[in-house]
Amino acid sequence: MASLAWLLIPLLAAIGAGLWGGWASRNRKTVGDGVELEGYARFRAAMERSEAVMVRPGAGEKPHSDVV
C-alpha cells in the first residue's frame, strides 16, 4: 500500500504540470504596443526640445588666462 502512495506523488505532479502548462499557454488578449509607443514618442519629443534649449558648451567657464 505504501508503494501505491509513492506512485501517487509523480501522478499528481504530472497532473499539476499539465494543468499549469495549459494555463501558461492559454491565448491571451493582447493590448498592443500603443501605450509604449506613445510614451516613447513623448520621450523623443522631450529630448529634442532639450537639445534645442541646451547652453553652448564652455559658456560659463573662465578663460585659461584666469586659471591659476
Side-chain angles (χ1 to χ4, degrees):
M1 190 66 178
S3 62
L4 291 178
W6 279 105
L7 288 175
L8 283 177
I9 294 172
L11 178 65
L12 292 175
I15 291 170
L19 290 173
W20 179 82
W23 176 78
S25 66
R26 70 190 185 280
N27 193 5
R28 300 177 185 161
K29 293 182 181 178
T30 57
V31 175
D33 293 333
V35 175
E36 290 85 6
L37 291 175
E38 289 172 7
Y40 180 65
R42 287 193 307 269
F43 170 76
R44 286 189 54 182
M47 289 291 106
E48 288 172 0
R49 282 195 305 266
S50 69
E51 286 178 2
V53 179
M54 280 183 58
V55 179
R56 187 180 71 217
E61 297 176 4
K62 293 181 180 179
H64 291 290
S65 61
D66 292 343
V67 177
V68 177

mmCIF file of all heavy atoms in Angstrom, residues 19 23-24 33 45 64 66:
data_model
loop_
_atom_site.group_PDB
_atom_site.id
_atom_site.type_symbol
_atom_site.label_atom_id
_atom_site.label_comp_id
_atom_site.label_asym_id
_atom_site.label_seq_id
_atom_site.Cartn_x
_atom_site.Cartn_y
_atom_site.Cartn_z
ATOM 1 N N LEU A 19 -1.836 20.843 -15.948
ATOM 2 C CA LEU A 19 -2.739 21.974 -15.708
ATOM 3 C C LEU A 19 -2.003 23.302 -15.814
ATOM 4 O O LEU A 19 -2.491 24.264 -16.414
ATOM 5 C CB LEU A 19 -3.401 21.840 -14.327
ATOM 6 C CG LEU A 19 -4.426 20.719 -14.188
ATOM 7 C CD1 LEU A 19 -4.879 20.592 -12.743
ATOM 8 C CD2 LEU A 19 -5.605 20.970 -15.105
ATOM 9 N N TRP A 23 -2.547 26.323 -18.569
ATOM 10 C CA TRP A 23 -2.830 27.697 -18.136
ATOM 11 C C TRP A 23 -1.781 28.665 -18.683
ATOM 12 O O TRP A 23 -2.110 29.763 -19.123
ATOM 13 C CB TRP A 23 -2.844 27.755 -16.604
ATOM 14 C CG TRP A 23 -3.041 29.131 -16.082
ATOM 15 C CD1 TRP A 23 -4.210 29.834 -16.003
ATOM 16 C CD2 TRP A 23 -2.030 29.996 -15.558
ATOM 17 N NE1 TRP A 23 -3.987 31.067 -15.471
ATOM 18 C CE2 TRP A 23 -2.656 31.202 -15.185
ATOM 19 C CE3 TRP A 23 -0.659 29.865 -15.365
ATOM 20 C CZ2 TRP A 23 -1.942 32.255 -14.639
ATOM 21 C CZ3 TRP A 23 0.042 30.916 -14.818
ATOM 22 C CH2 TRP A 23 -0.615 32.095 -14.463
ATOM 23 N N ALA A 24 -0.511 28.263 -18.691
ATOM 24 C CA ALA A 24 0.560 29.149 -19.151
ATOM 25 C C ALA A 24 0.505 29.384 -20.650
ATOM 26 O O ALA A 24 0.898 30.452 -21.129
ATOM 27 C CB ALA A 24 1.927 28.555 -18.768
ATOM 28 N N ASP A 33 1.050 47.538 -28.591
ATOM 29 C CA ASP A 33 2.173 48.367 -28.197
ATOM 30 C C ASP A 33 1.841 49.847 -28.222
ATOM 31 O O ASP A 33 2.736 50.683 -28.127
ATOM 32 C CB ASP A 33 3.359 48.106 -29.130
ATOM 33 C CG ASP A 33 3.912 46.701 -28.954
ATOM 34 O OD1 ASP A 33 3.766 46.162 -27.848
ATOM 35 O OD2 ASP A 33 4.472 46.168 -29.916
ATOM 36 N N ALA A 45 10.215 63.533 -28.147
ATOM 37 C CA ALA A 45 9.886 64.953 -28.298
ATOM 38 C C ALA A 45 10.525 65.770 -27.186
ATOM 39 O O ALA A 45 11.057 66.863 -27.431
ATOM 40 C CB ALA A 45 8.369 65.133 -28.299
ATOM 41 N N HIS A 64 41.392 80.688 -19.958
ATOM 42 C CA HIS A 64 42.567 79.998 -19.440
ATOM 43 C C HIS A 64 43.536 80.949 -18.755
ATOM 44 O O HIS A 64 44.288 80.553 -17.894
ATOM 45 C CB HIS A 64 43.273 79.253 -20.582
ATOM 46 C CG HIS A 64 42.480 78.103 -21.082
ATOM 47 N ND1 HIS A 64 42.273 76.970 -20.369
ATOM 48 C CD2 HIS A 64 41.814 77.907 -22.269
ATOM 49 C CE1 HIS A 64 41.543 76.123 -21.045
ATOM 50 N NE2 HIS A 64 41.243 76.679 -22.223
ATOM 51 N N ASP A 66 42.879 83.250 -16.622
ATOM 52 C CA ASP A 66 42.485 83.499 -15.243
ATOM 53 C C ASP A 66 42.705 82.291 -14.350
ATOM 54 O O ASP A 66 42.644 82.387 -13.129
ATOM 55 C CB ASP A 66 41.004 83.887 -15.175
ATOM 56 C CG ASP A 66 40.754 85.249 -15.812
ATOM 57 O OD1 ASP A 66 41.729 85.997 -15.999
ATOM 58 O OD2 ASP A 66 39.571 85.545 -16.119
#
